[in-house]
Amino acid sequence: MAEVVIVESKDAAGALVAAEIAALIENRPDAVLGLATGSTPLPVYQALRGRLDGVDVSQVRGFALDEYVGLDPAHAESYRSVITREVVEPLGLDPQRIQVPNGAEATIQHAGADYEAAIAAAGGVDLQILGIGTDGHIGFNEPGSSFASRTRVKTLTEQTREDNARFFDSIDDVPRHCITQGLGTILQARHLVLLAFGEGKAQAVADAVEGPLTASLPGSAIQLHPHATVVVDEAAASKLKLADYYRYTYANKPAWQGI
Ligand code: F6R
């Protein structure tokens, strides 16, 4: 089962996960980070700005989870732009070492296989940051995604398009297709860190952590992973049946264990 850490705020979550990432990079300067986009990981990226001062990040490598298909990479809401703006530039990472799936239509047929090959060539992802959609998706693996899936094109659900419309002028501008690491790809990362904040995520979190293992709730795939950490605020934790046990376990955890 995933370790669940219930924190008081997004900032506390950001500080906790940033500390883990900073320690990883200090131990392994060419660490491979799995980068999520969307609102959820922003407190982690913000906290990292302070944590990485004085740390050599020149060798750090990174792979984004997903990208929209057919959206100009220069568009402010392409995940290439978001990763550049929120992660690469503020943290001073080498842009050549940070990859995002290629959503260009002309090359989309082999973009998934190309991305898988690049992740494999890097030796796999050390720490994968994840958010979760209100429909339970991780990456853009919408309900019904195979637990064995690899990086490929998916069709976004209307729910996800509505959820993401806030980043665009109108819902009509939200692409219908994406290219996303598969659940099988994500499960190969050595440490999964899933974050969620707010009541709107409470059901998806409860289903992912405590519900049945099912492709209908792609986030439940984390139950298959030997080292998965779920960091949630009180609102996102509000539907967890074992919340008190998670609090007790974390409070009594030896400090040296980290997350
Ligand atoms: C983003 C991603 C998605 C988001 C999810 C939650 O790279 O893969 O799974 O993590 O849609 O989005 P937010 O964080 O905006 O609520």
Side-chain angles (χ1 to χ4, degrees):
M1 163 177 248
E3 174 181 36
V4 179
V5 184
I6 303 171
V7 292
E8 62 183 13
S9 65
K10 292 181 187 180
D11 287 348
L16 182 71
V17 178
E20 186 73 11
I21 294 172
L24 170 67
I25 296 171
E26 277 165 358
N27 282 331
R28 185 172 175 196
D30 64 346
V32 181
L33 304 179
L35 303 165
T37 47
S39 308
T40 305
L42 295 179
V44 175
Y45 302 142
Q46 273 147 18
L48 268 174
R49 295 177 197 191
R51 289 300 301 221
L52 292 178
D53 268 355
V55 178
D56 177 12
V57 295
S58 62
Q59 305 302 310
V60 171
R61 296 165 294 168
F63 289 90
L65 273 173
D66 39 24
E67 177 59 290
Y68 294 110
V69 170
L71 192 64
D72 184 347
H75 188 289
E77 295 306 330
S78 77
Y79 285 169
R80 162 63 70 188
S81 295
V82 172
I83 290 287
T84 301
R85 190 167 66 235
E86 303 292 349
V87 184
V88 176
E89 289 176 350
L91 301 184
L93 305 185
D94 177 356
Q96 303 298 327
R97 290 172 187 269
I98 308 301
Q99 301 201 39
V100 178
N102 185 350
E105 279 163 351
T107 51
I108 202 68
Q109 288 196 24
H110 55 83
D114 292 350
Y115 206 61
E116 290 285 332
I119 294 172
V125 170
D126 289 308
L127 185 150
Q128 176 65 58
I129 301 168
L130 295 168
I132 188 164
T134 54
D135 64 1
H137 69 235
I138 55 173
F140 271 145
N141 294 284
E142 297 286 26
S145 295
S146 162
F147 284 179
S149 52
R150 313 301 305 192
T151 306
R152 72 225 182 280
V153 172
K154 287 291 289 182
T155 305
L156 297 172
T157 62
E158 281 306 289
Q159 176 70 60
T160 299
R161 291 184 69 241
E162 280 164 26
D163 287 347
N164 285 9
R166 70 191 191 281
F167 296 116
F168 293 84
D169 290 339
S170 106
I171 188 164
D172 298 332
D173 296 338
V174 184
R176 291 183 191 279
H177 295 99
C178 62
I179 174 166
T180 179
Q181 286 189 33
L183 294 175
T185 317
I186 291 169
L187 287 174
Q188 280 183 329
R190 287 179 274 278
H191 183 190
L192 302 182
V193 180
L194 187 150
L195 297 109
F197 307 119
E199 217 179 322
K201 298 289 177 75
Q203 191 61 51
V205 168
D207 289 343
V209 175
E210 297 178 340
L213 198 57
T214 169
S216 299
L217 201 294
S220 66
I222 65 168
Q223 295 177 37
L224 292 170
H225 198 281
H227 188 188
T229 310
V230 174
V231 183
V232 284
D233 64 5
E234 291 286 348
S238 59
K239 295 194 172 162
L240 288 168
K241 291 195 187 76
L242 298 179
D244 287 342
Y245 174 65
Y246 305 139
R247 285 193 190 90
Y248 173 84
T249 305
Y250 188 65
N252 289 287
K253 189 176 182 181
W256 55 264
Q257 272 187 340
I259 56 172

